[in-house]
Amino acid sequence: MGSAYYQGFVLAVPDANKEAYTAMTHTGWEIFGQRGALGVVEAWGEDVPRGKRTDFFRATKAVDGEVPAFSWIAWPDRATCDQAEQAMQDDPAMQDMPEMPFDGRRMMWAGFEPIFDSATAS
């Protein structure tokens, strides 16, 4: 595989905050795009089954009226991702972010190196 790198996110958003969350995703893309991200995908839970042992609702401790959201950011490589994260932490403007339309304490995220990509498979 190439040097691509992905950050994945799972969170629960109050259904009533869908419009605010959508607006926030556009702002997020501007911030990440300026720092080298190749793309961002934000997905709103539509067909999210409840499992017997684990599921997106349990993972995010979602309560009634909250919808799981799933997103990812594509980066050209991990170094660009790490540099962007550091730049955002060092940017004083990032400290004055408006309140998020979800409980960020229940958001999960992680970085991933791809091991298969159908777009580049031969």
Side-chain angles (χ1 to χ4, degrees):
M1 293 300 307
S3 60
Y5 189 74
Y6 297 89
Q7 285 181 302
F9 304 84
V10 178
L11 56 145
V13 182
D15 195 38
N17 291 354
K18 184 177 182 181
E19 189 174 314
Y21 180 76
T22 301
M24 185 199 75
T25 65
H26 290 268
T27 302
W29 165 236
E30 290 175 20
I31 293 167
F32 299 128
Q34 291 170 355
R35 289 170 174 79
L38 301 173
V40 172
V41 174
E42 297 280 353
W44 190 255
E46 183 176 314
D47 181 18
V48 185
R50 292 190 183 266
K52 292 184 179 180
R53 292 185 184 240
T54 190
D55 58 35
F56 282 96
F57 294 96
R58 285 184 182 103
T60 60
K61 296 185 177 182
V63 298
D64 286 343
E66 289 185 327
V67 175
F70 176 65
S71 62
W72 63 92
I73 304 171
W75 297 94
D77 50 50
R78 181 167 181 185
T80 303
C81 176
D82 290 346
Q83 289 170 357
E85 285 185 2
Q86 189 62 53
M88 288 184 281
Q89 287 181 14
D90 295 343
D91 185 347
M94 295 297 294
Q95 307 310 311
D96 298 327
M97 295 292 291
E99 187 174 331
M100 293 183 286
F102 60 91
D103 182 355
R105 296 170 298 179
R106 293 184 285 132
M107 177 175 69
M108 298 179 297
W109 68 92
F112 300 88
E113 176 185 353
I115 59 172
F116 176 80
D117 183 344
S118 64
T120 59
S122 47

